[in-house]
Amino acid sequence: MDARLEAIRDTVLARNPGEAEFHQAVTEVFESLGPVHDRHPEFLEGAVLERLCEPERQIIFRVPWADDSGRFQINRGFRVEFNSALGPFKGGLRFHPSVNLGIVKFLGFEQIFKNALTGMPIGGGKGGSDFDPRGRSDAEIMRFCQAFMTELYRHIGEYTDVPAGDIGVGGREIGYLFGQYKRITNRYESGVLTGKGISWGGSLVRPEATGFGTVIFAEEMLKTRGLSFDGQRVVVSGSGNVAINAIAKAQALGATVVACSDSSGYIVDEAGIDVDLLRQIKEVERGRLKEYQARRSAVDYVDGGSVWDVDATVALPCATQNEIDGDAAARLVRNGLLAVGEGANMPSTPDAVAVFQDARILFGPGKAANAGGVATSALEMQQNASRDSWSFAHTEERLTEIMVGIHDRCAATADEYGDPGNYVLGANIGGFVKVADAMLAQGLI
Ligand code: NDP
């Protein structure tokens, strides 16, 4: 790392002790930015990095709610409004027991660059709670969402901060959150949340957008080597929103997706995952992946273990952060891996990224490859602002244009900075320069 940036990075780490994921995300971005500061000394003079690493606002709040037995439960809520240089804070809410300030900050930090790469007018933020939705009834989920919004509502708004979904927050939760916002504020403010239901202000393609976008990005990477998804053997981790839609799109492009996972285990279906059955189990019945095996022949279910033990030519990690370590990466590379498209945020550890890059694997980092979700959220905001709703085909076409654009911008930036094919460098520099220019133009804020 450039010595000037290393000193700033060390200060950021010391000011934010114990936030391992945030430290990792900051370090990864700083490692790319030395050459930018050679060309743009004004970024150092303007203390852009110091400002960028300090969120504009961090909100931590109590979320008190009653479970079905009437017992009071207390969770912790977070919203980190990281950077609004390009537009209102924008980023999802994660409900998962692992959520803490460091995780929300890593996600919010990544979101700044991702949102910049989309070319849409959105800043970066993220939020969530350590609430665990698994095993909770619909009524409990609703009461939790209402309690969460009872504090969050005063911090968000169409022109201020626009949350959406992430792990544990899908259409059902966005519905309960929106309902409570409307009730408290007495405003039908469609643009305050994205990922809404289609009949009440949502956008077609938003549910599919992150998974579809990840595959579109990976297809563009494959094309640079004269390849495509057609005939590839694909492994996907997770079986939530991003994973299911990545599987659907990869198979639509001719790949065979042979495995996917949840936090309990993974399935191997050599004939190709039956997406309709997977959707039925995970989205309709809210069941566990294990149930897939009993309903289809010739499927293996592995309890525990790692889905990255299954060989693939294309890997699409779509579950969570740091799920592929250096050993798993090395094994995949030894067994014929060609490309990785990160549907999840920071799913590859720094060791894994180094393995992929050393082996010249096509590696699409999450902040570029999974930007289709937030980009389509911005399209949802556009539709809300103009009281319009677009067709599936039109919205998907816009998503495709945006993902191809992000790919090309990352590739061109990597070329410009002398490291062709390095999408990590391209994404970090491409996103950073846009935000840094806007921050300097807006003065010391
Ligand atoms: P979902 O909650 O719909 O699905 C998450 C999936 O990942 C589930 O299968 C879950 O298994 C698994 N998972 C979650 N945490 C862990 C863990 N600690 N260990 C193993 N498996 C885990 O979330 P999404 O699909 O929305 O999000 C997946 C990833 O994509 C996240 O990294 C998210 O930040 C990222 N992302 C999502 C976007 C979106 O639009 N939704 C946009 C951009 C990025 P189980 O059910 O057993 O918990």
Side-chain angles (χ1 to χ4, degrees):
M1 186 184 298
D2 180 293
R4 299 162 301 177
L5 273 56
E6 194 169 8
I8 301 170
R9 193 277 313 259
D10 290 348
T11 306
V12 171
L13 267 51
R15 279 169 63 78
N16 299 277
E19 297 177 357
E21 292 83 1
F22 179 52
H23 297 177
Q24 183 182 334
V26 168
T27 300
E28 189 258 359
V29 169
F30 275 41
E31 270 166 358
S32 300
L33 298 182
V36 180
H37 288 81
D38 294 337
R39 290 192 197 180
H40 294 280
E42 69 275 18
F43 293 160
L44 282 174
E45 285 152 22
V48 169
L49 284 173
E50 291 90 333
R51 286 195 271 155
L52 200 57
C53 292
E54 188 68 27
E56 291 183 30
R57 192 175 296 114
Q58 306 184 54
I59 304 145
I60 303 181
F61 51 100
R62 180 171 63 202
V63 189
W65 58 285
D67 67 20
D68 283 346
S69 64
R71 221 185 9 245
F72 294 173
Q73 302 278 349
I74 307 300
N75 285 99
R76 186 170 290 175
F78 301 89
R79 187 71 186 167
V80 174
E81 298 181 333
F82 228 116
N83 192 291
S84 64
L86 297 180
F89 306 106
K90 180 91 196 87
L93 298 170
R94 175 176 291 191
F95 293 168
H96 192 272
S98 63
V99 166
N100 58 37
L101 184 60
I103 287 186
V104 178
K105 281 169 68 178
F106 118 65
L107 291 164
F109 186 72
E110 290 276 292
Q111 197 83 43
I112 302 169
F113 308 100
K114 181 189 308 193
N115 293 4
L117 285 169
T118 67
M120 321 286 282
I122 41 180
K126 200 83 187 188
S129 174
D130 58 0
F131 171 68
D132 188 354
R134 272 187 301 175
R136 291 294 179 188
S137 68
D138 269 0
E140 289 178 318
I141 299 283
M142 182 180 73
R143 285 196 297 276
F144 176 80
C145 289
Q146 290 177 337
F148 187 84
M149 185 53 84
T150 300
E151 172 59 32
L152 187 69
Y153 88 94
R154 64 187 90 241
H155 307 291
I156 62 175
E158 170 181 14
Y159 298 108
T160 315
D161 183 354
V162 184
D166 190 80
I167 291 177
V169 178
R172 173 181 59 168
E173 292 73 19
I174 293 293
Y176 296 145
L177 291 163
F178 184 75
Q180 184 72 351
Y181 182 85
K182 183 163 61 77
R183 179 198 208 182
I184 296 173
T185 60
N186 192 31
R187 281 166 63 84
Y188 202 108
E189 190 183 331
S190 300
V192 70
L193 288 169
T194 58
K196 299 181 292 297
I198 300 306
S199 60
W200 45 277
S203 174
L204 289 167
V205 191
R206 178 61 190 89
E208 293 85 359
T210 308
F212 277 23
T214 300
V215 171
I216 295 166
F217 189 95
E219 176 87 344
E220 291 304 303
M221 292 198 301
L222 288 164
K223 279 187 197 165
T224 65
R225 302 223 176 132
L227 301 166
S228 75
F229 262 95
D230 195 19
Q232 302 296 344
R233 177 184 166 88
V234 179
V235 170
V236 174
S237 63
S239 49
N241 170 271
V242 180
I244 291 175
N245 291 295
I247 295 169
K249 187 70 171 178
Q251 299 206 141
L253 293 179
T256 305
V257 181
V258 295
C260 69
S261 62
D262 63 15
S263 57
S264 308
Y266 65 90
I267 53 167
V268 181
D269 184 346
E270 290 288 347
I273 306 264
D274 178 338
V275 180
D276 291 339
L277 175 58
L278 187 63
R279 281 194 197 281
Q280 174 66 26
I281 293 169
K282 299 302 291 189
E283 293 178 349
V284 180
E285 300 167 18
R286 296 184 186 278
R288 304 300 297 162
L289 191 57
K290 188 179 192 338
E291 295 158 31
Y292 182 99
Q293 187 191 29
R295 287 151 75 167
R296 195 164 144 93
S297 58
V299 172
D300 284 336
Y301 175 77
V302 180
D303 202 25
S306 166
V307 73
W308 303 118
D309 288 342
V310 183
D311 294 344
T313 56
V314 179
L316 302 175
C318 297
T320 195
Q321 63 274 0
N322 291 328
E323 52 163 302
I324 305 185
D325 62 16
D327 290 341
R331 214 198 54 74
L332 285 164
V333 168
R334 272 198 309 276
N335 292 313
L337 187 73
L338 300 168
V340 180
E342 292 190 327
N345 285 307
M346 210 168 75
S348 311
T349 65
D351 287 351
V353 177
V355 169
F356 294 141
Q357 292 192 319
D358 288 350
R360 305 302 293 171
I361 301 295
L362 294 162
F363 177 72
K367 64 171 75 69
N370 72 34
V374 74
T376 309
S377 278
L379 299 180
E380 183 173 331
M381 291 162 73
Q382 279 186 24
Q383 291 169 76
N384 294 155
S386 59
R387 303 269 195 272
D388 198 0
S389 56
W390 304 342
S391 68
F392 193 97
H394 175 68
T395 317
E396 191 179 18
E397 199 180 306
R398 291 290 310 271
L399 168 66
T400 305
E401 272 169 24
I402 292 167
M403 292 314 300
V404 172
I406 294 172
H407 171 273
D408 293 353
R409 218 163 303 133
C410 292
T413 307
D415 286 351
E416 184 190 335
Y417 280 86
D419 197 353
N422 186 341
Y423 292 94
V424 173
L425 187 89
N428 286 338
I429 294 181
F432 171 76
V433 169
K434 200 160 175 223
V435 178
D437 283 341
M439 288 174 73
L440 287 184
Q442 292 170 22
L444 181 56
I445 50 171

